[in-house]
Amino acid sequence: MNLLSSKDVFVQEVGGNHIVVINVPRAERSYRPVYLDGNPLATYRRNVEGDYKCTKEEYQAMVRDASVKTQDMLVLNEMDMTVFNKESVRSYRQRMRLSRPGHVWEALEDEDFLMKLGAVGIGSDGKKHPTSAGLLMFGNEYDIVREYNAYFLDYQEQYDADTRWTDRIISSSGDWSGNVYDFYFRVYNKLTQDIKVPFKMEGGVRVDDTSVHQALREALANCLINADYYGRQGLVVIKKRDAITMSNPGNFRIEIDTAKSGGVSDPRNGTMLKMFNLIDIGEHAGSGIPNIFRVWHEQGWIAPVISENFDPDRIMLSLTFKKSDDKKATIKSDDKIRTAKE
């Protein structure tokens, strides 16, 4: 695949010398992997320091992402309907009733509802089986790891420098379902419990939601929706007194600058995005990341940082609750106000 056009090669004067500049653009995911001599195993990849030969794992990740279908549309023929956690399905349906009262799917039985939702599909044997999206969202952890061997969701609160964590939620603990849907709400409630909510009334009812709450919902949903659950090291969310970091396996399917500017949406797990959308979480228009940057700018906080790491592929979003131009920032924690020096 030749990615270069005439505008990518030009002469530039630097310090009185003329140099030839060659800009190698990033290949769109549908063209990856780009390889040499007809040999897919001769796939090379550029990082900050240079080019290196891809591992078999990296090559397979590119092939998965190149598909027209998103990863979570796969029908899992080896699994049956018993993988679903009934309490997770019940909770989701209740939230959807609140978000979309009178929806045409409301009266359906669970199995038919999951079919409409994309959590169930018809397998090669003509029978109903869970899809990857259904398994990840509503399955039990011990079934999820049968398909996704490296599946691991991890939330840590690191408030005390002398201990590794002061609170932790992991998908493999065995005392809850361990699925993506339940992880989202357990973690979101932890992330927002220290956020100061200004007093606001609408229609005689207090509104306990802010633009910061909305941005954190977008950030956490994006992290879960765009993860490559076949990837290594799992998904990790770390909350400190003055910052939150979210990292997930997989790389960006579009340029980072394009993601920041908005208007382009290319989720790795499109069916999961639809499931979150139906309970008013996440968005389709590619405005989630720009909205996070906008909210942080309005608050006067240090701009969010998005980084992409290799070997293994990971995306990390760092959100800091510190003023970008002041030397002090007021942070609320455990119902006490303290002043933290940068």
Side-chain angles (χ1 to χ4, degrees):
M1 178 65 196
N2 181 15
L3 302 171
L4 295 179
S5 63
S6 57
K7 65 180 176 58
D8 293 312
V9 183
F10 54 92
V11 176
Q12 182 174 327
E13 185 175 346
V14 178
N17 298 311
H18 290 82
I19 62 172
V20 177
V21 179
I22 304 175
N23 172 48
V24 183
R26 178 172 178 156
E28 293 183 16
R29 65 175 177 83
S30 57
Y31 295 146
R32 298 179 210 157
V34 178
Y35 47 84
L36 298 173
D37 303 325
N39 179 13
L41 296 181
T43 297
Y44 287 79
R45 185 174 184 178
R46 176 169 292 106
N47 62 16
V48 176
E49 299 170 347
D51 293 348
Y52 66 93
K53 191 173 183 179
C54 292
T55 63
K56 184 178 179 181
E57 180 184 26
E58 291 172 317
Y59 167 75
Q60 290 171 337
M62 292 183 198
V63 172
R64 287 197 300 270
D65 278 343
S67 174
V68 175
K69 291 184 176 181
T70 58
Q71 285 190 15
D72 60 350
M73 295 176 70
L74 179 67
V75 178
L76 304 173
N77 287 287
E78 302 301 317
M79 295 187 177
D80 58 29
M81 304 297 287
T82 61
V83 301
F84 292 112
N85 183 284
K86 292 182 179 179
E87 181 57 30
S88 298
V89 174
R90 185 204 62 78
S91 171
Y92 180 89
R93 297 198 68 172
Q94 179 61 25
R95 290 184 187 278
M96 186 172 164
R97 274 190 284 269
L98 294 173
S99 297
R100 288 171 170 35
H103 194 279
V104 65
W105 299 346
E106 195 171 295
L108 296 175
E109 295 294 328
D110 281 351
E111 200 168 290
D112 294 328
F113 172 80
L114 292 171
M115 188 85 175
K116 295 286 188 182
L117 194 62
V120 171
I122 304 298
S124 57
D125 57 0
K127 298 179 180 179
K128 293 178 180 177
H129 298 276
T131 62
S132 296
L135 177 67
L136 288 164
M137 283 288 280
F138 307 121
N140 292 300
E141 187 270 347
Y142 49 80
D143 286 316
I144 296 173
V145 295
R146 288 165 51 200
E147 174 66 23
Y148 299 95
N149 303 139
Y151 175 84
F152 188 67
L153 308 179
D154 188 1
Y155 168 78
Q156 301 175 23
E157 285 182 5
Q158 299 179 357
Y159 285 168
D160 188 345
D162 297 327
T163 58
R164 292 178 66 187
W165 57 78
T166 53
D167 191 11
R168 195 179 187 193
I169 299 170
I170 58 174
S171 54
S172 59
S173 62
D175 55 357
W176 61 289
S177 68
N179 60 43
V180 169
Y181 169 75
D182 289 333
F183 181 80
Y184 172 88
F185 285 101
R186 282 173 175 250
V187 170
Y188 173 72
N189 290 334
K190 295 281 187 181
L191 293 178
T192 58
Q193 64 184 1
D194 298 333
I195 295 177
K196 294 179 289 184
V197 180
F199 187 80
K200 182 181 179 182
M201 299 287 288
E202 282 187 10
V205 179
R206 180 173 178 175
V207 179
D208 291 327
D209 199 17
T210 68
S211 59
V212 177
H213 285 85
Q214 294 164 9
L216 287 175
R217 286 199 293 271
E218 292 284 355
L220 182 56
N222 276 341
C223 183
L224 292 163
I225 290 165
N226 289 295
D228 180 358
Y229 290 98
Y230 288 106
R232 286 184 281 151
Q233 296 188 356
L235 184 147
V236 183
V237 179
I238 298 175
K239 180 183 179 184
K240 297 184 178 181
R241 292 192 182 277
D242 54 9
I244 293 171
T245 60
M246 303 180 186
S247 63
N248 61 268
N251 58 14
F252 264 98
R253 286 158 64 93
I254 58 177
E255 292 278 4
I256 294 179
D257 289 342
T258 302
K260 289 179 180 179
S261 62
V264 178
S265 180
D266 188 16
R268 178 168 277 113
N269 298 295
T271 306
M272 288 174 63
L273 173 61
K274 168 189 168 182
M275 293 173 178
F276 276 116
N277 285 164
L278 286 169
I279 53 174
D280 295 329
I281 297 168
E283 47 69 50
H284 263 299
S287 60
I289 291 177
N291 183 57
I292 295 167
F293 277 78
R294 177 186 60 79
V295 170
W296 251 244
H297 177 74
E298 289 174 352
Q299 296 292 326
W301 292 332
I302 296 171
V305 176
I306 299 175
S307 58
E308 187 176 30
N309 301 317
F310 303 103
D311 193 27
D313 292 347
R314 292 192 72 77
I315 302 168
M316 178 177 288
L317 171 66
S318 299
L319 303 170
T320 304
F321 301 96
K322 289 183 179 179
K323 295 294 183 181
S324 60
D325 52 355
D326 296 336
K327 292 190 176 180
K328 293 183 178 181
T330 301
I331 304 160
K332 184 180 180 186
S333 178
D334 299 328
D335 296 321
K336 295 179 182 179
I337 301 295
R338 68 182 183 87
T339 300
K341 294 184 178 180
E342 292 183 328

